[in-house]
Amino acid sequence: MKNRNQNITMQLNGRLGNQLFQYAFGRAAQEKAGGQLIINFYGVEQKDKEFPNQMWGDSLQFFNTTYQKESIAPQSFWRKYLSIKQRLLVYLRGILGKTFLKESKYQSYENLSGMDKWIADYFKKNSLYIYPIRTDVYDVGRHKNAFCLAFFEDEKLFKDIRPALINEFTPKAPLREENVSLYETINTTQSVCITIRRGDYLSEKYKDAFYICDENYFIKGIEIIKKKINNPVFFFFSDDLEYAKEFSKHVMDENDQYFIENENNPVWEKLRIMSACKHFVISNSTFSWWCQYLSDNEEKIVIGPKKWNNNSENNSWVQDEWIKI
């Protein structure tokens, strides 16, 4: 028998872009379940201690989000909220994820083999959204608490509550004084958000898989925008502002109007300013994805990569209405 007041418990991973996906799934599930949304931030808080000033920790706290917060070790979290059977299955998934399910755990549900789908369905039957790593649409289960441990990076998992998410992903703090003029220009022009992701994408560990949106990609994107929009005004955002400044000088014509974001913007302020733009040339980052998704311009043009990750066939981030290059 299904529990019509089921709680949604989540173990959070990643920084803001990832956290927004996980929260979005949790909220969509909560709308169906009727219970509380309970999020454990222990893992990201430990990351914040290990890598300070790199935007780890609870980034959801800066927005109009609503959840019950926990900060306890995973095993303690499971003991507090999960049944004995659920806990045993979580441990089993940990073992299988390193062996039998190692190759398939990052696939979308639709791409799983028959046996793998059976395993995913069995976990789901027990209100465990832990395999595959992106999982499937939430259904109310019979357990008191559902447990979610995945990235949920697929719009179909929460598209029905998009208006609510737009409101909840509004920053609590007011617009910073130093950004008032920039924000006004964004709102009164055919503003185009250019998001250049570099940082760890250039490292030996991630370059082959994730460095897809290179200089040529952005040049092509800007050319497309210029052909489709009259009098575009470009706004450059990046985790490497010195590079963004040099790149913009190189690619912008003398008649182009463009701006570089102010330095030292907190992540919540960046999301507010970027999502206010009317059009987008995004990189393959979850943060870029949310900036275009939260835009309220019904006629927005989004230039995005046709492939998100060189190491995976999964392309759940890429939306049909984008212009893909």
Side-chain angles (χ1 to χ4, degrees), residues 231-274:
N231 303 314
V233 181
F234 297 93
F235 296 83
F236 288 85
F237 301 86
S238 179
D239 57 356
D240 186 345
L241 285 181
E242 289 305 313
Y243 172 84
K245 292 173 184 177
E246 292 303 315
F247 176 74
S248 60
K249 289 178 184 178
H250 173 63
V251 301
M252 292 285 101
D253 297 332
E254 60 180 15
N255 294 325
D256 290 332
Q257 188 176 5
Y258 69 94
F259 298 85
I260 310 294
E261 71 164 308
N262 293 322
E263 295 184 9
N264 301 317
N265 279 325
V267 67
W268 48 264
E269 182 81 329
K270 289 169 72 80
L271 187 68
R272 179 196 346 248
I273 296 170
M274 293 165 73

Side-chain angles (χ1 to χ4, degrees), residues 8 10 21-31 37 148 152:
I8 308 300
M10 308 194 78
F21 272 111
Q22 291 162 77
Y23 177 87
F25 177 84
R27 279 288 289 113
Q30 184 189 25
E31 286 292 309
L37 175 59
C148 310
F152 307 105

Side-chain angles (χ1 to χ4, degrees), residues 269-296:
E269 182 81 329
K270 289 169 72 80
L271 187 68
R272 179 196 346 248
I273 296 170
M274 293 165 73
S275 62
C277 290
K278 295 182 176 65
H279 310 285
F280 300 83
V281 181
I282 70 167
S283 62
N284 56 324
S285 80
T286 54
F287 188 78
S288 293
W289 191 95
W290 278 104
C291 291
Q292 63 82 29
Y293 187 74
L294 295 175
S295 168
D296 61 4

Side-chain angles (χ1 to χ4, degrees), residues 24 29 38-39 43 49 73 86 104 113 121-122 130 143 164 167 169 176 183 242 247 253 260 267 286 297 301 308 324:
I38 304 164
I39 304 178
K49 293 177 182 178
Q86 285 178 310
S104 57
S113 67
D121 289 339
Y122 187 74
I130 57 178
H143 290 266
N167 289 329
F169 292 161
R176 287 188 160 196
Y183 193 70
E242 289 305 313
F247 176 74
D253 297 332
I260 310 294
V267 67
T286 54
N297 179 23
I301 294 172
W308 203 262
K324 307 169 191 68

Side-chain angles (χ1 to χ4, degrees), residues 83-325:
S83 69
I84 294 175
K85 182 179 181 180
Q86 285 178 310
R87 295 203 302 269
L88 289 173
L89 288 173
V90 171
Y91 285 118
L92 177 62
R93 184 260 178 222
I95 296 170
L96 293 177
K98 296 177 182 178
T99 54
F100 182 64
L101 304 178
K102 186 175 182 180
E103 298 301 320
S104 57
K105 67 179 180 179
Y106 289 102
Q107 297 297 322
S108 61
Y109 177 83
E110 292 82 358
N111 293 333
L112 294 177
S113 67
M115 176 58 72
D116 288 346
K117 278 187 178 178
W118 184 90
I119 294 171
D121 289 339
Y122 187 74
F123 283 137
K124 183 177 177 179
K125 184 179 178 180
N126 286 279
S127 300
L128 298 173
Y129 293 80
I130 57 178
Y131 172 75
I133 202 70
R134 291 180 179 85
T135 71
D136 190 19
V137 175
Y138 169 81
D139 289 320
V140 179
R142 65 179 183 268
H143 290 266
K144 178 181 179 181
N145 298 306
F147 177 59
C148 310
L149 176 60
F151 288 118
F152 307 105
E153 294 164 333
D154 192 333
E155 181 201 10
K156 78 172 188 293
L157 302 178
F158 49 79
K159 64 180 181 180
D160 292 341
I161 64 163
R162 182 172 180 268
L165 293 176
I166 290 174
N167 289 329
E168 292 174 32
F169 292 161
T170 301
K172 293 177 181 177
L175 182 69
R176 287 188 160 196
E177 183 64 30
E178 62 267 30
N179 292 318
V180 169
S181 176
L182 185 75
Y183 193 70
E184 182 178 353
T185 304
I186 286 173
N187 280 292
T188 56
T189 64
Q190 286 290 339
S191 48
V192 183
C193 173
I194 311 289
T195 58
I196 302 175
R197 171 71 181 268
R198 286 170 64 80
D200 56 347
Y201 278 17
L202 297 178
S203 68
E204 290 298 318
K205 182 178 181 180
Y206 295 117
K207 188 173 183 178
D208 290 343
F210 290 103
Y211 190 52
I212 293 170
C213 301
D214 57 12
E215 186 171 301
N216 289 330
Y217 165 86
F218 286 104
I219 290 173
K220 289 179 184 177
I222 291 168
E223 289 174 351
I224 293 171
I225 289 290
K226 288 182 177 181
K227 291 176 181 178
K228 290 184 170 291
I229 299 173
N230 293 324
N231 303 314
V233 181
F234 297 93
F235 296 83
F236 288 85
F237 301 86
S238 179
D239 57 356
D240 186 345
L241 285 181
E242 289 305 313
Y243 172 84
K245 292 173 184 177
E246 292 303 315
F247 176 74
S248 60
K249 289 178 184 178
H250 173 63
V251 301
M252 292 285 101
D253 297 332
E254 60 180 15
N255 294 325
D256 290 332
Q257 188 176 5
Y258 69 94
F259 298 85
I260 310 294
E261 71 164 308
N262 293 322
E263 295 184 9
N264 301 317
N265 279 325
V267 67
W268 48 264
E269 182 81 329
K270 289 169 72 80
L271 187 68
R272 179 196 346 248
I273 296 170
M274 293 165 73
S275 62
C277 290
K278 295 182 176 65
H279 310 285
F280 300 83
V281 181
I282 70 167
S283 62
N284 56 324
S285 80
T286 54
F287 188 78
S288 293
W289 191 95
W290 278 104
C291 291
Q292 63 82 29
Y293 187 74
L294 295 175
S295 168
D296 61 4
N297 179 23
E298 294 181 358
E299 299 179 351
K300 67 183 176 183
I301 294 172
V302 180
I303 312 294
K306 61 184 177 181
K307 189 171 185 179
W308 203 262
N309 178 351
N310 285 327
N311 285 354
S312 174
E313 294 302 316
N314 181 67
N315 240 12
S316 59
W317 302 267
V318 179
Q319 297 183 269
D320 293 339
E321 59 270 25
W322 292 0
I323 298 173
K324 307 169 191 68
I325 56 177

